Amino acid sequence: MAKKSMRKISNSTIHRLSIYYRALLGLEREGYETISSKELARREKLTPAQVRKDLSFFGSFGTRGLGYPVKELKARIGEILGLNKLWNVAMVGVGNIGSALVSYKEFAKQGFIVKLLFDNDQRKIGSNHKGIIINDIASIKQMLQEQEIQIVIVTVPAAAAQKVCDEVVEAGVKAIMNFAPVSLKVPDDVVLLNENMSIELEHLSFSLTNRNMVLSD
Amino acid sequence: MAKKSMRKISNSTIHRLSIYYRALLGLEREGYETISSKELARREKLTPAQVRKDLSFFGSFGTRGLGYPVKELKARIGEILGLNKLWNVAMVGVGNIGSALVSYKEFAKQGFIVKLLFDNDQRKIGSNHKGIIINDIASIKQMLQEQEIQIVIVTVPAAAAQKVCDEVVEAGVKAIMNFAPVSLKVPDDVVLLNENMSIELEHLSFSLTNRNMVLSD
């Protein structure tokens, strides 16, 4: 089975790679040429062992005693995160959240280009939303394929989300970010990220309720 | 030191508690009285061992052979997550994201009540935004204290975020959710959650770039 040759990586590790990438961007701007695992750990409130473990996972970067070369490490992590290319993104549902995300300037900076918008509201279809025409959701499958969309962000109401998700999967898209407050089902080869704002807030209410607990990563 | 009596819990475990809570809500609606760790695991694509380990952390819930009582387990997890009370929430920055979050109906359902809005834009201050008056950010410290706000959501631009964060901390707030794309510094007794949408998207570009990797939790 193919699984045997696969390597496991945790969501937390991927998240930390993004954190390292941002830290290295800053260090580069500040003029650093090298950085030790100790200093990188200090800045991001991690342990040096954690930093070394994370980075060694992707090959040997650092030199003992000299630390990591900032520019090379940044480039390598950017490559690992897929930030050295442009990604075609489509957004389904141009309501409050969808609209806020279209305006999110960081996306384009990181190479995530919102190319298509979809909605089912006849009053919105055909109108220009911040420079992008809103398309009829009825044409979603064909348009996702034509425009070679790789990532779809779903911000439709919960009741409509699974149907939208199925069409996106049928169009061959392998990465979906879901903001609808509902569990979606996707095939094993599709990566689904659920962005549930209530769950995030529950993290805070948990912490306030259980102040004797220490959060580990 | 107080730390000695503290118990460690991972962010992933808290996240799974929220997932279990939602699954149990659904099971209750479907009329289930008990649920096995196996079935709960199957529904949420986890292992039964993981489910048992997570739930045992908070005391013994289940009965061998009978499974967990749905209603009691839901109530207990809700209590652990702090969902059996109301939380006073304030939002700083009524731009695109802030505005989208105010409209997010799930928040109130889970007991998160947005009581105050703040902005520094003179054109917005004093106006009514979806039933809530937008206050001048200059009065934030006093108003957070007066209204006994427990959770603050920060959606101001990156350059303004640390200053806002400092004032929120000075007001005595212990839980902050930050949407500004910048690392904020808070004292150890304040819980800070960073919601960086680009980092989330990087998760997807990572997965698309490294399709030979298996994501573990």
Side-chain angles (χ1 to χ4, degrees), chain A residues 13 16 37 74 82 84 95 104 134 138 149 155 162 173 183 188 194 199 208:
Chain A
T13 307
R16 283 193 301 274
S37 53
K74 190 205 76 178
N84 55 342
Y104 197 66
I134 301 179
I149 299 297
T155 66
Q162 185 63 56
V173 172
S183 284
D188 283 343
N194 287 301
I199 287 186
L208 292 172

Side-chain angles (χ1 to χ4, degrees), chain A residues 124-137:
Chain A
K124 292 181 183 170
I125 294 166
S127 69
N128 181 322
H129 185 81
K130 296 168 189 172
I132 312 173
I133 300 295
I134 301 179
N135 298 292
D136 188 338
I137 205 167

